[in-house]
Amino acid sequence: MSASKAALKAAKGALDAHDYERAIENATKVLQEDPQSYHANVFLGLALEKQSRNHESEKAYTAATAVKPNDPLAWQGLISLYEQQGARLLHRYHDVAVRLAHLFMHVDDKTRCQTVVDKYTDLARNGGSPSQYKQSLEMLLPGNDLYDYLQGRIPHPSHTYARLSELVEQDEKERINHQIGQRRTRLGARIDQVTVEVKREVLQNSDLETLYQHVIDWTNDHETRRLYDGKLLQHAYDTLVAIPVAQKASKREEVVRVARGLVILKHPFLLAWKISLEWHDVEGIEELDVGLLREYIEFFPEDGLAKVLKGYLESEISVFPKQLSIAEDDENEEAKASSLTAEDRLILMTDGVEDSPSSILARRIMGEYYLHLDEYESAAETARKGRRQAALEAKMSGLPFQNIIDAIDLILGTALVQHQAPRHHPEANSLFEGVLARKPGNSSALVGIGLIFEEQEEFERAMGFLVRAERHTPSIRIRCEAAWCKALNGEYATGCSELEECLPSLSASDPRTKTLKAQTLYRIGMCMWNMDDSKASRRDRNKAYARFISSLQVDMNFAPSYTSLGIYYTDYAKDKGRARKCFQKAFELSSSEVVAAERLAQSFAKTSEWDLVEIVAQRVVESGKLRPPPGSKRKGISWPFAALGVVQLTNQDYPNSIVSFQSALRISPKDYYSWVGLGESYQFSGRYIAATKAFEQAQQLEQELGAEVLGDTWFSKYMLANVKRELGEYDAAIVGYEEVLALRRKEYGVSIASLQTLIESAWHNLELGFFGRAIESVQKALNVAKDLSEWRKDAFNLWKSVGDLCSVYTYIQSYIDEFPFQDIRSLLKDDFDLESYNLLAEFDDMGWAAFEASATGDSAASVLECCSFAAILAQKRAVSCCAPDPYAGAVAWYNLGWAEHRAHVCQYGEVSSGTPASLRYLKASVQCFKRAIELEAGNSDFWNALGIVTTQLNPRVAQHSFVRSLYINDKNAGTWTNLGIFYLFEGDVQLANDAFTRAQSVDPDHAQAWLGQGLLAAQLGEIAEARNLFTHAFEISNASVTQIPRSYAFSMLDHLLSSPGAFKDNASLLQPLLALRQLSKLSVSDLLSSHIRSLFQERTGDQANVSQGLMSVCSALEAEYEMSESSEILARFAQAKADLSRSLLAEGNFDSAADNAETALDLSADDDQAGTARDKTRLSAYLSAGLARYYQGSMDRSIEMFKGALGATQEDPDIICLLSQVLWAKEGDAERSIARDQLLQCIEKHPGHVGTTLLLSAIAVLDDDRDTIDAVFDDLQQLRSRDDLSPQQHQQLGQLLNAIATLYPGDKDQSSARMSDAATTVMLRPSQPYGWTQMAGLTDDTRPAETAVLTAVRKAPPRGGLSAGDLSEAFAGTRKGYDAQRSIMLAPWMSSGWKTLSKV
């Protein structure tokens, strides 16, 4: 024990000497002997603390406190230890500090107790978290024993509660922000919803309101108490807004209680006053406490609601008495009323509403004030915002605010009744009915519904509601309105007397009744106006006129009186100046004065002041008075929309004019002129189908309403014809124009439109290939032109059309003999200086004399020249008619240039010889296009035309012209094509290809671009590609372009000659034949095309037309040869004669065939013509002559011709076969022997020749030469397996083998041999009908015959080349009656069908 004391003393000494290691050692020894030694633990804890061994030190102190819990020494050690570590162990510090403070309190040591508390709170404030600081402050709150012990030494509770509230405020703010930021990133989260949820969670569990209340209860400072009153109210209000509806009632009572207390105490906290005012659900403003309102204005003069209240209380509509303010003057004291002017008041209240967007009361008051000012649009807008705000406030507070909402609905409904009436009447009616459902006697709602029925012309029902309203709330305004309804209902006398009775009650000096008195006077005047509609009564200035004047004397801004005065001045006083001023004044004051607006619009339209018409009509449209509400008896007003449509149509604003006319027609579906305007708008905007429907509807209305109502209606027919013309329905358009001209013969525009349509129809038919129709159109156009020229000779379009109709004849040259020369001559000569036709005569040598001279010839070329000259003269006259107009002049010169160019093409072709005479029209054309460009340099078509005509004359100018045209408009496929042709002429293949490709990309349907590409391909040797391009160009081209069908037909002829197998049937020849036939109609002088057409017709079997065509070609070539004596023409003539002989041979005209063939031989006998073409011509002539002589019976002559053919072809095997057949037919032994020898020699030279083998076999059968038959039989069997035989050769081979099998059956009987042969044929050629037909004739089984029919049908054109006879043979083989009939129908010349039918 003594050792422990010594060690304990040594430890104490070591601590004093700052020898902490020895102190730790001695203290440890003591504790080893006595673990419950209090001082040893204290000394150990202190020593360890000094060595910063905090954890061990804390254990030692804790052990000491366990030994002696009430001894402060160990607790002080812990306090010291924790203070050294700062706020890190503040949570432990709290417990130790509380324990130590209580120990000092028990020993009544206030100083040391206060010191412990102060140090702890200071440390928590400076280094702890808000929650730790809050925990430290809670020690000092009332209810804690330390507060009772240290009262007076620690801060006052109000300060502590205030500090706690600040900490909680900060903590809640941070939690709200943190949670919002965290939750807003969730999928589907909305910031507003997240904010409400977070605030609800935080505010519902908040202690702030309790803390605020404690501050209020404990503080002695008035300002602090008011401050925390406001905070308490604000927090309670925020909580009310956030919590669910079910929990709002109790919280709302608390909010109202606090707010009311603040208002009673007159504390200027804005929220409290707003709650007291805004949440007071009153029916009328008069139920509010005016003293409260004035105090609000005094406390918050800059608040928006205060401004509104101030303006209202000083206004004439205020239900409260005016407040007088006493002002002291230096000289005397007197009462002075302080008030605002009306303008200042309105500005003040408007600013107030803008400054307080959330105030329901401000918008309610402002809405009533706007109604007083008749600013119905502003009143409606303000009421709508107030209604939305009331609904929002009701949702936040949980209060229904029914009275407030009803009051706002009445304001909104009343405004909607007047604003843009009757557009908003359905909405206003629903608002009034909603109010009446809750308050059946509400006079404002009853009056509103009465006014709506009055507007709808339901006067009986309107009077019923007005009477009910007056019964509940007697009012002079309601009485006046009810009297006016009676007047509108036709009771003018009753209404007038009742209105007169109301006048004494109305004062002009009272702002509230001034307008009503003016209105009443006006209505009395209208009653007088309608009671006696005689002119004398209405003209009497002491009756209605006097009342209108009196109305304006009361209120100079009453618009209806001006309208009535304007009608008076217009219709009765005949003073248009005053009338116009009255209408303008009325419309300026009110856009609802539709009558005044209509009169104004009519007067402006008469003077073409379209801008003013648009302004008037647009303002009436915006007034909203045009469309009646659903179910109303009142008719809609459509004229403003129609007027807008006319103005927009005049200004070429077609999309908006369509909308305007559609709006007019929705109101008045039978407005004839709106249908016409709508159709016209559709037409000019390119919507022709819609325009057609509109004009058709207008014409239907013409029939319904009649001319008596509508007046002159020809314009709709004319416009419908224009639409048909734009749609390409020229026939319908022409009929329409004719109908109009039947009504108005000398209507220039219609006549010109009819003439131009006929010309367009002619060009259209020309493009489609309907050449006869085109000629019919130009003949009709000529009649129209003749009629028009009788009374309008100076019309540019007349002479342009005359020139165009002459040009049509130059394109359709097959009708050139129908050219009406005398009619054209009369037109051109009539009433015109003939010297003017010498325009450009120095270039084209073209004038009236030349035209007259051209008419002397009878040939097609002369007539064609006459047509060209007539077109030029007509275009020259068109130039002279449009001299004053540069743009029309440019077009006229352009048309003249093309007429000159057409004359050049007709006489010299596309590319002339280059002689000065051949270039005269081309040079004149250049001058015309240059003049056109001078007048209008920005027209790309003019530059393109100049490039075309200068391509041959000056390539540099041509290239510049094309490039310039493309610079102006690079989307013109025609210009790109022309540029490509130019480069092709110049030999630049790459640039030409690029130009053609660009043209195709701009317009893939531009046929000339594909033609140019084909010409380029042909020049490069790509024949197949060129042919494909020509084919595509022909398929998409129109019929007026000659080069495309020519190139296509020539390429197909080359393909036919080079690849005969590609044309398996005649159907493939129809398209090139169509192209050539079309070409023959356009150019009768194109002999080469006519010759080739005949060759195609020969291929198709059209022998009659072939002979006729070749005869014409031969005649033309003979005439041309006689003039030129050209060897080239002679060769062509010989070839035509050879072809003609072949055609005549096919017709059976053997004499003419032989003669023409021999003529061809004579013409081609000259060795100078030697060449492949000559040899082919002579071979054809030899063969034709030989066959013709053979069929004539002139065998010797025939053999002579075939020998000539053999000599021309170096013994061609086919010719030998023909010669052998002719020799055999002569029936002489010598001739037949020669035929055998020729065939044997031929087979030796040409072992596989089919014709020779077949002929030798046939001769062997006829000679019954079994050795020869045996020798050739194997060859015949081998021929069966060859694929290069034609169907005819297969048929001949089968017939020959069948004959051999029949005559020489061998080991089999005859029928078996024939069946075996037929089976072999079927096996080798199962898809051919010959074997099946042969088999069907050898058996009674119907299946081979049916198969023969199936295969024959599949091989018939267009899928094959089977002849009609073979198909007829297959049908006849079935032995059925209906098949026999088909067989006869297909080939009535075949006997098989007739035989089968006879056996059925």
Side-chain angles (χ1 to χ4, degrees):
M1 187 67 178
S2 59
S4 296
K5 289 183 178 180
L8 190 60
K9 186 180 290 188
K12 178 69 171 66
L15 286 172
D16 293 338
H18 303 290
D19 189 356
Y20 302 119
E21 285 293 337
R22 189 161 58 84
I24 293 171
E25 181 181 350
N26 289 320
T28 303
K29 289 179 181 180
V30 175
L31 291 173
Q32 288 175 352
E33 293 182 4
D34 184 9
Q36 297 296 322
S37 175
Y38 176 78
H39 289 93
N41 279 306
V42 171
F43 292 159
L44 179 60
L46 180 59
L48 290 171
E49 178 187 351
K50 296 299 183 180
Q51 288 193 337
S52 300
R53 295 165 65 181
N54 298 331
H55 185 65
E56 296 175 21
S57 173
E58 184 180 8
K59 286 183 178 182
Y61 284 137
T62 304
T65 57
V67 175
K68 291 182 179 181
N70 295 323
D71 192 317
L73 184 60
W75 295 106
Q76 288 176 326
L78 283 172
I79 290 290
S80 176
L81 177 64
Y82 290 150
E83 285 178 352
Q84 290 180 8
Q85 298 182 57
R88 189 170 64 86
L89 298 176
L90 193 60
H91 58 288
R92 298 179 186 176
Y93 194 151
H94 170 75
D95 297 336
V96 174
V98 170
R99 179 69 177 178
L100 183 58
H102 279 88
L103 289 177
F104 289 141
M105 181 182 70
H106 290 315
V107 298
D108 195 23
D109 190 346
K110 292 184 178 181
T111 302
R112 297 176 71 184
C113 179
Q114 179 184 354
T115 301
V116 171
V117 171
D118 290 343
K119 286 184 177 181
Y120 170 53
T121 54
D122 290 342
L123 181 62
R125 181 177 64 251
N126 296 326
S129 65
S131 60
Q132 291 172 333
Y133 183 38
K134 176 183 175 185
Q135 188 179 29
S136 69
L137 292 176
E138 288 175 350
M139 294 171 53
L140 310 179
L141 294 177
N144 193 306
D145 50 0
L146 289 176
Y147 169 76
D148 296 335
Y149 178 68
L150 297 175
Q151 188 174 10
R153 290 175 170 265
I154 59 177
H156 191 271
S158 62
H159 297 289
T160 305
Y161 280 121
R163 187 59 187 145
L164 279 173
S165 66
E166 292 174 0
L167 293 174
V168 175
E169 286 175 1
Q170 184 64 28
D171 178 58
E172 288 185 358
K173 182 178 180 181
E174 291 177 356
R175 274 197 294 158
I176 289 172
N177 292 336
H178 175 71
Q179 288 296 322
I180 291 174
Q182 189 176 23
R183 297 186 189 183
R184 67 182 298 180
T185 59
R186 294 177 183 175
L187 187 63
R190 295 202 312 258
I191 184 62
D192 54 344
Q193 183 179 359
V194 168
T195 302
V196 171
E197 290 176 356
V198 171
K199 285 187 175 181
R200 181 183 301 140
E201 294 174 4
V202 173
L203 296 178
Q204 272 186 307
N205 301 315
S206 174
D207 296 330
L208 265 179
E209 293 181 28
T210 303
L211 293 174
Y212 290 151
Q213 190 61 51
H214 284 311
V215 174
I216 295 168
D217 293 342
W218 282 95
T219 186
N220 295 320
D221 183 59
H222 178 73
E223 294 297 328
T224 303
R225 184 177 292 111
R226 298 287 78 81
L227 173 64
Y228 279 89
D229 278 335
K231 286 189 175 185
L232 175 62
L233 177 60
Q234 186 66 55
H235 191 275
Y237 178 79
D238 293 341
T239 306
L240 174 66
V241 172
I243 61 178
V245 177
Q247 303 174 14
K248 286 183 181 291
S250 59
K251 195 66 179 179
R252 183 176 61 250
E253 292 177 0
E254 179 184 346
V255 170
V256 172
R257 177 181 55 79
V258 175
R260 189 171 298 161
L262 289 175
V263 171
I264 292 173
L265 295 174
K266 293 184 173 44
H267 175 53
F269 186 69
L270 184 61
L271 179 61
W273 290 82
K274 280 188 175 292
I275 290 173
S276 296
L277 293 176
E278 302 281 359
W279 287 13
H280 196 181
D281 190 16
V282 295
E283 289 190 25
I285 302 295
E286 65 275 5
E287 297 179 29
L288 294 174
D289 184 357
V290 65
L292 195 64
L293 300 179
R294 291 197 169 102
E295 288 174 353
Y296 185 89
I297 297 170
E298 181 182 353
F299 285 137
F300 312 104
E302 298 302 322
D303 181 67
L305 177 58
K307 295 177 181 179
V308 174
L309 290 173
K310 182 178 180 181
Y312 172 74
L313 292 176
E314 295 188 8
S315 69
E316 59 272 20
I317 67 168
S318 174
V319 296
F320 303 110
K322 299 289 190 299
Q323 183 183 29
L324 298 178
S325 60
I326 307 301
E328 293 184 2
D329 194 278
D330 292 337
E331 299 179 355
N332 56 6
E333 296 181 358
E334 59 179 358
K336 295 183 180 179
S338 61
S339 60
L340 297 170
T341 63
E343 292 78 6
D344 294 339
R345 185 185 310 121
L346 180 59
I347 294 172
L348 178 67
M349 296 176 73
T350 305
D351 292 343
V353 170
E354 293 177 356
D355 293 342
S356 57
S358 61
S359 174
I360 307 171
L361 181 59
R363 297 197 180 278
R364 178 178 177 180
I365 293 173
M366 199 64 206
E368 291 188 359
Y369 194 66
Y370 279 137
L371 286 180
H372 168 69
L373 298 177
D374 294 339
E375 294 289 340
Y376 300 113
E377 182 178 3
S378 300
E381 181 182 358
T382 302
R384 289 187 193 280
K385 292 180 179 178
R387 205 170 190 276
R388 288 194 294 268
Q389 188 59 38
L392 181 62
E393 194 68 29
K395 181 180 178 181
M396 291 191 301
S397 65
L399 290 170
F401 294 125
Q402 193 58 62
N403 290 329
I404 294 176
I405 292 176
D406 286 346
I408 294 176
D409 284 349
L410 290 173
I411 296 171
L412 177 58
T414 304
L416 293 178
V417 168
Q418 303 295 336
H419 175 54
Q420 294 186 342
R423 178 186 294 180
H424 305 292
H425 281 183
E427 182 183 358
N429 189 67
S430 65
L431 292 172
F432 291 139
E433 288 179 350
V435 173
L436 289 176
R438 293 181 291 274
K439 302 170 184 177
N442 190 285
S443 61
S444 298
L446 291 170
V447 171
I449 294 178
L451 293 175
I452 291 174
F453 283 125
E454 179 183 325
E455 182 69 26
Q456 295 176 1
E457 299 182 2
E458 297 278 353
F459 303 118
E460 293 288 346
R461 300 178 67 181
M463 284 189 288
F465 278 94
L466 291 172
V467 169
R468 284 174 57 190
E470 189 179 8
R471 190 182 304 124
H472 286 89
T473 307
S475 169
I476 188 65
R477 189 179 298 273
I478 300 175
R479 285 176 57 198
C480 291
E481 201 65 44
W484 177 239
C485 279
K486 290 181 181 179
L488 293 175
N489 199 33
E491 304 175 27
Y492 296 113
T494 305
C496 183
S497 63
E498 292 184 4
L499 289 170
E500 292 280 5
E501 293 174 2
C502 294
L503 273 180
S505 303
L506 302 174
S507 172
S509 59
D510 188 349
R512 291 175 292 184
T513 61
K514 177 181 178 180
T515 302
L516 181 59
K517 183 170 184 178
Q519 184 185 60
T520 304
L521 287 167
Y522 160 75
R523 289 176 172 178
I524 293 172
M526 290 303 299
C527 291
M528 294 178 176
W529 184 272
N530 292 312
M531 277 191 294
D532 186 358
D533 59 356
S534 64
K535 184 176 290 188
S537 175
R538 291 188 173 181
R539 190 179 292 175
D540 189 350
R541 290 178 175 258
N542 295 320
K543 292 185 177 180
Y545 175 82
R547 298 304 186 276
F548 298 147
I549 294 296
S550 299
S551 172
L552 293 176
Q553 288 173 349
V554 174
D555 186 358
M556 291 295 293
N557 295 324
F558 190 70
S561 296
Y562 286 107
T563 301
S564 298
L565 284 175
I567 295 173
Y568 171 82
Y569 286 128
T570 302
D571 298 342
Y572 299 99
K574 305 302 180 182
D575 190 342
K576 293 184 178 180
R578 285 188 177 182
R580 187 163 182 171
K581 291 180 181 179
C582 289
F583 289 138
Q584 287 179 339
K585 183 65 175 179
F587 192 61
E588 287 173 5
L589 292 172
S590 173
S591 60
S592 299
E593 292 301 309
V594 180
V595 175
E598 184 176 10
R599 297 288 186 114
L600 275 178
Q602 290 173 351
S603 65
F604 290 144
K606 289 178 181 178
T607 56
S608 299
E609 298 177 76
W610 299 112
D611 293 341
L612 296 178
V613 173
E614 182 179 16
I615 292 171
V616 171
Q618 187 63 46
R619 191 175 175 201
V620 175
V621 169
E622 292 172 355
S623 71
K625 295 185 69 66
L626 304 183
R627 293 185 176 89
S632 173
K633 293 182 179 179
R634 189 175 68 85
K635 294 182 179 179
I637 302 171
S638 62
W639 71 261
F641 288 112
L644 276 177
V646 171
V647 173
Q648 291 156 353
L649 190 60
T650 304
N651 295 333
Q652 300 181 359
D653 186 5
Y654 305 123
N656 286 328
S657 70
I658 291 172
V659 173
S660 297
F661 284 123
Q662 286 176 338
S663 300
L665 289 169
R666 289 190 189 100
I667 298 173
S668 300
K670 293 192 175 183
D671 185 353
Y672 169 79
Y673 295 103
S674 291
W675 280 112
V676 174
L678 179 62
E680 195 171 356
S681 300
Y682 277 136
Q683 178 191 355
F684 290 132
S685 60
R687 299 168 62 180
Y688 300 117
I689 301 299
T692 302
K693 294 179 180 179
F695 287 127
E696 288 175 349
Q697 182 65 31
Q699 292 187 350
Q700 184 177 350
L701 288 176
E702 290 176 11
Q703 299 175 359
E704 294 178 6
L705 301 178
E708 297 80 7
V709 177
L710 299 177
D712 206 351
T713 58
W714 65 271
F715 186 72
S716 65
K717 296 182 176 64
Y718 168 65
M719 294 304 297
L720 180 59
N722 286 341
V723 174
K724 296 293 186 182
R725 173 185 174 186
E726 295 291 346
L727 289 172
E729 300 177 16
Y730 298 109
D731 293 339
I734 291 167
V735 171
Y737 291 133
E738 290 175 349
E739 291 178 358
V740 177
L741 289 173
L743 300 174
R744 301 174 68 91
R745 179 178 175 273
K746 291 190 177 182
E747 189 66 44
Y748 170 72
V750 182
S751 298
I752 283 294
S754 177
L755 177 60
Q756 291 177 327
T757 305
L758 286 165
I759 297 300
E760 289 174 9
S761 176
W763 289 118
H764 181 67
N765 287 320
L766 172 59
E767 291 175 356
L768 295 179
F770 301 141
F771 304 125
R773 294 182 185 178
I775 294 300
E776 290 177 3
S777 295
V778 298
Q779 289 172 349
K780 291 181 181 179
L782 179 59
N783 294 330
V784 175
K786 288 162 62 178
D787 181 67
L788 181 60
S789 66
E790 292 178 2
W791 51 276
R792 190 68 179 270
K793 294 182 173 60
D794 58 344
F796 158 70
N797 287 318
L798 166 64
W799 301 109
K800 175 191 177 299
S801 299
V802 171
D804 287 343
L805 71 87
C806 294
S807 296
V808 170
Y809 281 100
T810 67
Y811 281 93
I812 312 175
Q813 296 177 12
S814 58
Y815 290 88
I816 198 71
D817 55 338
E818 298 182 14
F819 179 67
F821 170 77
Q822 293 300 331
D823 292 335
I824 297 296
R825 180 179 180 277
S826 300
L827 270 176
L828 294 174
K829 187 177 181 180
D830 187 25
D831 195 18
F832 189 70
D833 183 10
L834 300 181
E835 291 297 324
S836 299
Y837 287 129
N838 293 328
L839 180 69
L840 298 179
E842 66 273 18
F843 294 100
D844 60 5
D845 195 19
M846 178 65 223
W848 183 258
F851 173 64
E852 293 277 13
S854 66
T856 57
D858 295 331
S859 64
S862 298
V863 179
L864 180 62
E865 183 183 52
C866 182
C867 291
S868 303
F869 288 177
I872 292 174
L873 293 183
Q875 298 296 353
K876 287 184 177 181
R877 187 159 182 178
V879 170
S880 65
C881 290
C882 58
D885 187 351
Y887 294 103
V891 175
W893 282 105
Y894 175 74
N895 294 333
L896 177 58
W898 280 122
E900 298 276 6
H901 181 263
R902 184 62 189 166
H904 169 78
V905 172
C906 290
Q907 292 195 32
Y908 306 107
E910 295 285 349
V911 180
S912 63
S913 60
T915 61
S918 65
L919 296 177
R920 54 181 180 148
Y921 299 116
L922 211 56
K923 291 180 179 179
S925 179
V926 170
Q927 296 301 317
C928 293
F929 291 136
K930 284 183 177 180
R931 185 62 185 275
I933 291 172
E934 290 175 1
L935 295 173
E936 189 179 348
N939 193 311
S940 62
D941 292 335
F942 296 173
W943 287 100
N944 178 44
L946 181 61
I948 292 172
V949 298
T950 55
T951 297
Q952 184 178 359
L953 297 174
N954 192 330
R956 289 186 178 182
V957 173
Q959 183 180 22
H960 170 75
S961 300
F962 289 135
V963 172
R964 182 64 180 175
S965 176
L966 291 172
Y967 174 77
I968 297 171
N969 178 18
D970 63 349
K971 301 298 182 183
N972 192 323
T975 307
W976 282 109
T977 302
N978 294 332
L979 181 61
I981 295 295
F982 169 80
Y983 287 135
L984 195 60
F985 284 163
E986 296 300 316
D988 196 327
V989 176
Q990 183 60 46
L991 288 178
N993 182 67
D994 294 343
F996 292 137
T997 303
R998 183 65 181 273
Q1000 292 163 4
S1001 65
V1002 170
D1003 183 6
D1005 293 331
H1006 189 66
Q1008 286 86 340
W1010 297 97
L1011 170 66
Q1013 198 87 27
L1015 294 173
L1016 180 61
Q1019 183 174 329
L1020 296 175
E1022 299 176 3
I1023 305 301
E1025 178 68 16
R1027 183 174 62 255
N1028 292 333
L1029 290 168
F1030 290 146
T1031 302
H1032 180 67
F1034 177 71
E1035 290 172 349
I1036 64 175
S1037 68
N1038 59 58
S1040 63
V1041 183
T1042 58
Q1043 185 59 42
I1044 293 177
R1046 183 185 292 115
S1047 299
Y1048 167 66
F1050 288 4
S1051 67
M1052 294 303 291
L1053 178 64
D1054 293 340
H1055 185 46
L1056 176 64
L1057 297 176
S1058 61
S1059 304
F1063 296 83
K1064 296 181 180 180
D1065 51 46
N1066 292 336
S1068 57
L1069 300 175
L1070 294 179
Q1071 196 166 4
L1073 183 58
L1074 175 63
L1076 289 166
R1077 185 170 295 173
Q1078 171 183 307
L1079 190 60
S1080 67
K1081 296 288 185 181
L1082 298 175
S1083 179
V1084 294
S1085 60
D1086 191 349
L1087 299 179
L1088 181 58
S1089 299
S1090 299
H1091 192 170
I1092 293 175
R1093 176 167 61 91
S1094 299
L1095 296 179
F1096 274 104
Q1097 288 174 331
E1098 181 183 12
R1099 292 260 180 175
T1100 60
D1102 187 6
Q1103 299 299 336
N1105 287 327
V1106 172
S1107 299
Q1108 183 179 358
L1110 287 174
M1111 287 179 183
S1112 300
V1113 170
C1114 289
S1115 299
L1117 288 173
E1118 184 178 8
E1120 189 173 349
Y1121 176 71
E1122 290 177 355
M1123 294 178 63
S1124 63
E1125 295 186 357
S1126 168
S1127 59
E1128 181 182 352
I1129 300 298
L1130 181 62
R1132 289 175 57 190
F1133 182 35
Q1135 184 179 2
K1137 281 289 185 180
D1139 293 339
L1140 176 59
S1141 69
R1142 186 171 64 251
S1143 173
L1144 293 171
L1145 177 65
E1147 287 184 13
N1149 190 350
F1150 306 122
D1151 295 337
S1152 298
D1155 293 342
N1156 281 281
E1158 291 172 357
T1159 301
L1161 291 172
D1162 294 340
L1163 293 172
S1164 59
D1166 191 356
D1167 292 338
D1168 294 339
Q1169 302 177 15
T1172 304
R1174 171 182 174 275
D1175 294 341
K1176 289 182 178 180
T1177 300
R1178 293 184 65 80
L1179 175 61
S1180 175
Y1182 275 126
L1183 293 175
S1184 298
L1187 290 172
R1189 295 303 182 187
Y1190 168 75
Y1191 287 114
Q1192 283 179 331
S1194 303
M1195 297 302 176
D1196 296 335
R1197 189 68 176 149
S1198 175
I1199 292 171
E1200 181 182 348
M1201 291 299 170
F1202 282 124
K1203 288 182 179 179
L1206 281 175
T1209 59
Q1210 290 77 39
E1211 298 184 354
D1212 185 271
D1214 291 328
I1215 305 300
I1216 292 175
C1217 290
L1218 287 173
L1219 177 59
S1220 299
Q1221 290 176 13
V1222 173
L1223 289 171
W1224 188 270
K1226 196 172 182 182
E1227 299 182 353
D1229 294 337
E1231 287 79 359
R1232 292 187 175 184
S1233 177
I1234 295 172
R1236 292 189 190 95
D1237 294 340
Q1238 289 287 339
L1239 289 172
L1240 289 172
Q1241 293 175 8
C1242 181
I1243 201 68
E1244 290 177 2
K1245 295 180 181 179
H1246 306 282
H1249 191 259
V1250 179
T1252 305
T1253 305
L1254 292 176
L1255 281 177
L1256 281 173
S1257 301
I1259 291 173
V1261 171
L1262 293 174
D1263 290 342
D1264 195 18
D1265 187 352
R1266 291 183 174 240
D1267 295 335
T1268 304
I1269 291 173
D1270 293 338
V1272 300
F1273 186 76
D1274 292 336
D1275 294 336
L1276 292 176
Q1277 292 294 341
Q1278 291 177 2
L1279 287 177
R1280 275 186 163 184
S1281 60
R1282 286 176 56 175
D1283 295 330
D1284 58 344
L1285 270 66
S1286 67
Q1288 290 77 12
Q1289 289 174 331
H1290 276 297
Q1291 184 179 13
Q1292 293 171 0
L1293 179 60
Q1295 291 172 349
L1296 182 59
L1297 288 172
N1298 186 33
I1300 293 173
T1302 302
L1303 295 174
Y1304 309 103
D1307 296 336
K1308 304 176 183 178
D1309 57 28
Q1310 189 178 39
S1311 60
S1312 299
R1314 293 179 65 189
M1315 179 62 73
S1316 176
D1317 182 71
T1320 303
T1321 303
V1322 169
M1323 181 187 68
L1324 292 173
R1325 294 288 184 273
S1327 62
Q1328 298 293 336
Y1330 310 117
W1332 296 106
T1333 303
Q1334 181 182 349
M1335 185 178 291
L1338 299 174
T1339 180
D1340 294 333
D1341 191 349
T1342 60
R1343 286 176 293 180
E1346 292 173 354
T1347 307
V1349 170
L1350 291 175
T1351 54
V1353 169
R1354 291 174 181 171
K1355 292 297 180 181
R1359 289 176 289 181
L1362 192 70
S1363 66
D1366 294 333
L1367 184 59
S1368 173
E1369 192 79 24
F1371 275 108
T1374 63
R1375 303 185 185 92
K1376 297 177 181 177
Y1378 56 85
D1379 281 340
Q1381 291 176 341
R1382 291 179 181 176
S1383 174
I1384 294 171
M1385 183 190 69
L1386 288 169
W1389 62 87
M1390 298 290 292
S1391 61
S1392 56
W1394 296 103
K1395 290 178 180 179
T1396 301
L1397 184 62
S1398 66
K1399 295 177 181 179
V1400 174

